[in-house]
């Protein structure tokens, strides 16, 4: 078992990725006459200027920054109404805590919102560190946020698990050199992930079973 564990938040710890997905869809008519159903998935796991570039690549001439700000406002307004933990979160965090594994959250959401969500969900006390990819040089799929989280835990990246639900997040974990585990939510694994990930599981509960068995 690894000495550290770094977790994404939306779609991995909390069932909130669907709020972002709804936001991209519901606000699209404000910015384009021809909404593209691929945009919500394309933006998943990304943040900041990277999302703006994605939006403007799908919708040339659209104000990507305004679209992103609208979706962030939509997320903030809706996230507290139905904040639910994903399956296996408490079980895995409790197991790691008991085993002395250091834990961090590394999310593409604003730092203040990460802290607020974790507090509302009742799991903030499990984590030693919280990092936003908006506070590092490059967003996912660059490895920066996971490297920063590992550094704050005073661990080498190879001594850490990364748990992710999104393709960009998995790429970032792998590039950081962490033992990367994918729990798919709105995005499915790329074919090559089955060869390079430490594991791909339906839920964190299934990942915990493999961890207890010494499989990952």
């Amino acid at each position: 078992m690894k000495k550290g564990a770094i977790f994404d938040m939306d779609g991995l710890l909390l069932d909130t990725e669907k709020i972002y997905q709804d936001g991209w869809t519901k606000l699209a008519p404000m910015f384009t006459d021809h909404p593209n159903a691929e945009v919500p998935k394309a933006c998943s796991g990304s943040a900041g200027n990277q999302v703006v570039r994605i939006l403007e690549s799908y919708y040339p001439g659209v104000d990507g920054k305004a679209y992103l700000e609208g979706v962030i406002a939509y997320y903030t307004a809706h996230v507290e109404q139905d904040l639910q933990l994903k399956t296996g979160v408490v079980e895995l965090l409790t197991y790691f805590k008991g085993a002395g594994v250091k834990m961090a959250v590394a999310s593409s959401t604003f730092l203040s919102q990460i802290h607020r969500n974790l507090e509302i969900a009742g799991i903030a006390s499990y984590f030693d560190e919280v990092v936003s990819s908006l506070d590092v040089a490059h967003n996912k799929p660059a490895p920066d946020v996971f490297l920063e989280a590992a550094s704050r835990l005073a661990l080498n990246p190879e001594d850490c698990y990364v748990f992710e639900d999104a393709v960009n997040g998995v790429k970032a974990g792998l590039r950081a050199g962490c033992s990367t585990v994918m729990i798919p939510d709105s995005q499915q694994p790329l074919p090559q992930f089955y060869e390079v990930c430490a594991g791909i599981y339906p839920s964190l509960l299934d990942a915990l079973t493999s961890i207890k068995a010494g499989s990952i």
Side-chain angles (χ1 to χ4, degrees), residues 142-158:
D144 299 34
V145 70
F146 293 129
L147 293 174
E148 178 65 19
S151 176
R152 293 191 191 182
L153 294 175
L155 294 171
N156 294 321
E158 59 266 27

Side-chain angles (χ1 to χ4, degrees), residues 122-133:
I123 58 174
S125 62
Y126 285 101
F127 299 104
D128 303 286
E129 297 289 342
V130 175
V131 188
S132 169
S133 61

Side-chain angles (χ1 to χ4, degrees), residues 2 20 25-26 30 40-41 49 59 69 75 77 94 98 105 116 120 128 138 163 189 194 207-208:
K2 301 294 182 180
Y20 275 119
T25 300
K26 291 181 178 179
M30 296 173 58
K41 292 182 180 179
N49 290 334
Y59 304 128
E69 289 174 348
Y75 173 93
T94 301
V105 172
R116 183 164 179 76
I120 294 171
D128 303 286
H138 302 98
F163 293 91
Y194 289 94
L208 175 58

Side-chain angles (χ1 to χ4, degrees), residues 193-208:
F193 285 177
Y194 289 94
E195 299 178 5
V196 293
C197 285
I200 299 174
Y201 300 96
S203 75
L204 289 172
L205 201 58
D206 297 290
L208 175 58

Side-chain angles (χ1 to χ4, degrees), residues 67-193:
Y67 192 175
L68 171 59
E69 289 174 348
V71 171
I72 291 172
Y74 179 92
Y75 173 93
T76 302
H78 289 79
V79 70
E80 295 181 19
Q81 297 177 10
D82 187 24
L83 196 59
Q84 297 182 14
L85 293 171
K86 299 284 283 187
T87 300
V89 169
V90 172
E91 292 88 344
L92 180 57
L93 297 182
T94 301
Y95 180 78
F96 277 160
K97 195 77 169 182
V101 175
K102 296 181 180 180
M103 289 182 279
V105 172
S107 168
S108 297
T109 302
F110 286 99
L111 187 61
S112 59
Q113 188 69 56
I114 300 171
H115 282 292
R116 183 164 179 76
N117 286 3
L118 296 177
E119 289 288 350
I120 294 171
I123 58 174
S125 62
Y126 285 101
F127 299 104
D128 303 286
E129 297 289 342
V130 175
V131 188
S132 169
S133 61
L134 296 171
D135 296 328
V136 296
H138 302 98
N139 300 319
K140 304 172 187 177
D144 299 34
V145 70
F146 293 129
L147 293 174
E148 178 65 19
S151 176
R152 293 191 191 182
L153 294 175
L155 294 171
N156 294 321
E158 59 266 27
D159 292 326
C160 297
Y161 295 110
V162 158
F163 293 91
E164 264 285 356
D165 66 290
V167 168
N168 277 343
V170 171
K171 289 180 178 179
L174 293 168
R175 289 170 182 172
C178 299
S179 183
T180 304
V181 179
M182 186 177 190
I183 312 294
D185 184 51
S186 62
Q187 296 182 336
Q188 292 306 302
L190 299 180
Q192 60 267 33
F193 285 177

